[in-house]
Amino acid sequence: MKKIILVSALILSLSFCGCSAEGDNSEKTESSASQGAEVSADESGITYTIRDVSHDTSTGDRIVISDDQDDISAPDDSISFKDACDIIDSCNMEELYLPQSAKDYKKLYCSTVKYQGKDYYSIYNYLEVKGQKIPVGTNCLVACDGSEILKKDWVGGYDPVKKNTAKNDKSIEDKYPDAKITPNEAITDAAEKGEKLGLEYEVSSYVFEADDTLTEINGVACYKLTPKTEYTNSIELHTAIYVNAYGSGEVYLPVLGTDKYTTIS
C-alpha cells in the first residue's frame, strides 16, 4: 500500500535537510500532491524528488554543474560578475539555504542564462576541497542588470531573494553553540571522504545543505548534511550524511532499514 503524507508537513520536515529516509523501510514508496508540490521517495527509500505540479511539467533533465570561470559573458551594459557576486554576498544566508554567511564562500560561474525573458548570471556558492568545487546552498540567478536575485527553491522553481539582508545573518556560535567546528569544515570533512559516501556521481556534482541544528548520532553531536541533485523542474534530496561536530573527522551514514549508522573515518 502506498503511504500518503500531507505535503505541507513533508515540506516542513524536509526544510534544512530533515529529509532522509533512514530507519523506516516499511513502505516501498511515499508520495503526496497538494499546494502545487509533489514529494516522493524511490523504492530504495533514500531519495526524495520535489517538483512543482501546479503546471504539467516533468522532473526535467539533471543539471550538470560546470565551471566556465574563464569564459564569463553577458549582454552589453550588464553589471560585472564581481558585482553579481557582491549582490549574493548582500543576501541573508538562510534565504540562500546556506549555513554560513554568503561571504564565506567562493563563487562559481556556470553560464549566463535567459529566464522568463531576462538575462541572468547563474552562480553557485562553493567550497574548494582537494581541488574540487563543492556547491553549497542552491543555484542563484543574478539579473545582468543588477535589478534582482533569484534562488532555486525546494520544488525546482525560482523565487526572489531580498538584497541587503546579510545583516540578519546569525553567527555560527548562535546557530551551533555546541559545535567545535564550522558547518563549512563539516562539509569539507564529508567531501574529503569522496567515494566512501556511496553517492552515484562525484561529490562535486551535488549541492550540499546543512540542517540548522545539530543531531545526535551514536551519542555524538553531528552536523546533518543533505546532498541535492538539481533538475530543470525539480530537486532530488539524498540520504543525509552526519559529520562529528567536535572536529574528529568521523562521518556517519545510516544503515537503511535499521536505526544504526556506519562510521567512516
Side-chain angles (χ1 to χ4, degrees), residues 96-99 105 124-127 134-139 184 187 206-210:
L96 301 179
Y97 307 156
L98 296 171
Y105 301 88
Y124 286 90
N125 292 281
Y126 78 92
L127 299 173
I134 310 299
V136 183
T138 190
N139 180 233
N184 285 351
I187 294 170
Y206 298 87
V207 184
F208 282 79
E209 282 193 47

Side-chain angles (χ1 to χ4, degrees), residues 60-72:
D61 299 323
R62 184 173 74 89
I63 296 174
V64 178
I65 301 172
S66 60
D67 182 2
D68 294 325
Q69 289 277 17
D70 295 331
D71 188 25
I72 297 174

Side-chain angles (χ1 to χ4, degrees), residues 60-101:
D61 299 323
R62 184 173 74 89
I63 296 174
V64 178
I65 301 172
S66 60
D67 182 2
D68 294 325
Q69 289 277 17
D70 295 331
D71 188 25
I72 297 174
S73 61
D76 293 341
D77 299 324
S78 295
I79 63 171
S80 68
F81 176 66
K82 181 184 181 303
D83 288 340
C85 294
D86 288 342
I87 289 175
I88 292 176
D89 286 345
S90 80
C91 297
N92 175 252
M93 63 187 190
E94 292 182 351
E95 286 294 306
L96 301 179
Y97 307 156
L98 296 171
Q100 295 186 207
S101 169

Side-chain angles (χ1 to χ4, degrees), residues 61-65 124 139 152 158 205 229-234:
D61 299 323
R62 184 173 74 89
I63 296 174
V64 178
I65 301 172
Y124 286 90
N139 180 233
K152 194 170 184 69
Y158 282 92
S205 299
T229 302
E230 294 184 343
Y231 292 80
T232 50
N233 300 323
S234 63

Side-chain angles (χ1 to χ4, degrees), residues 46 193-201 206 253 264:
I46 63 171
K193 302 300 186 286
E195 295 180 356
K196 294 181 180 179
L197 297 177
L199 297 170
E200 182 178 0
Y201 304 105
Y206 298 87
L253 300 179
I264 300 174

